[in-house]
Amino acid sequence: MTIRPIIRYPDRRLAMPARPVSAFDDGLRELAQDLLETMRAAPLIGITAPHIGVPLRVVVLELDAGEGPLTYVNPVIEWASPEMIMHREGSVSMPGVNDEVQRHARVRIGYHDLDGTMRSEESEGLRAVCHQHEIDQLDGMFWIQRLSRLKRERLVKKFEKLMRS
């Protein structure tokens, strides 16, 4: 178990689509454990392998301490509700800034577990927002791309100022 360095915006690796996982082995389980340790150390509620510079489609979420962490391998959105919600989002790769992002209120995702078994999950609210946010990241879409150009430029300037101080 290792806490890995988190890459920062505007690192171009954040804009690259992640590759599907094909080997469901000890290396994948070790990556998932490292993601969990890195996420908890930050502390966060979600992280992807690209956030630590590993271009694989792996997400770890921990939204409820009682439920424990969940690992999603090769997740895809299979269905999204027409109803939309606004939710304040940010990223471990761009700490200190956040803004309201419009997302689908409910989604169904398909994914593999760490053993390679295909699964499906329906979510709403915060969990649905997290699924969409992290899958966007796996697709190479950084969360600020969902904002207007004006909001995006304002957040980038704020982040650059934070990083200088």
Side-chain angles (χ1 to χ4, degrees):
M1 294 185 282
T2 304
I3 296 172
R4 304 259 198 114
I6 295 168
I7 63 175
R8 299 280 186 227
Y9 178 87
D11 191 303
R12 62 185 180 83
R13 291 174 289 177
L14 295 169
M16 297 172 60
R19 295 187 318 269
V21 170
S22 57
F24 294 84
D25 57 12
D26 288 341
L28 175 62
R29 282 183 270 291
E30 184 178 317
L31 172 61
Q33 190 61 43
D34 288 355
L35 283 167
L36 178 61
E37 295 300 319
T38 303
M39 181 182 74
R40 285 178 172 165
L44 311 164
I45 59 173
I47 193 168
T48 68
H51 284 119
I52 61 169
V54 177
L56 291 174
R57 295 187 70 83
V58 181
V59 174
V60 174
L61 295 179
E62 189 168 35
L63 304 178
D64 179 351
E67 180 182 45
L70 299 170
T71 301
Y72 302 89
V73 181
N74 300 331
V76 293
I77 295 174
E78 297 176 333
W79 171 85
S81 70
E83 302 87 22
M84 305 296 282
I85 59 173
M86 295 296 285
H87 197 277
R88 187 159 290 280
E89 296 184 28
S91 174
V92 64
S93 291
M94 194 180 208
V97 298
N98 56 65
D99 208 331
E100 295 284 323
V101 178
Q102 187 174 30
R103 298 283 188 181
H104 296 279
R106 295 184 322 278
V107 296
R108 181 177 58 247
I109 65 168
Y111 67 97
H112 292 91
D113 64 19
L114 288 171
D115 295 319
T117 303
M118 190 66 191
R119 304 212 179 261
S120 182
E121 180 179 321
E122 290 197 24
S123 59
E124 62 183 351
L126 176 61
R127 186 178 301 271
V129 166
C130 289
H131 284 154
Q132 293 167 83
H133 176 101
E134 304 302 2
I135 290 171
D136 270 357
Q137 183 61 64
L138 296 177
D139 292 339
M141 177 180 274
F142 197 63
W143 73 278
I144 62 173
Q145 291 175 264
R146 294 236 177 238
L147 302 174
S148 69
R149 185 176 59 81
L150 184 64
K151 282 186 172 185
R152 189 170 49 248
E153 288 172 356
R154 178 180 52 88
L155 283 178
V156 168
K157 284 181 181 165
K158 181 179 179 182
F159 178 66
E160 288 170 345
K161 184 178 178 182
L162 284 169
M163 292 300 100
R164 283 192 304 269
S165 58

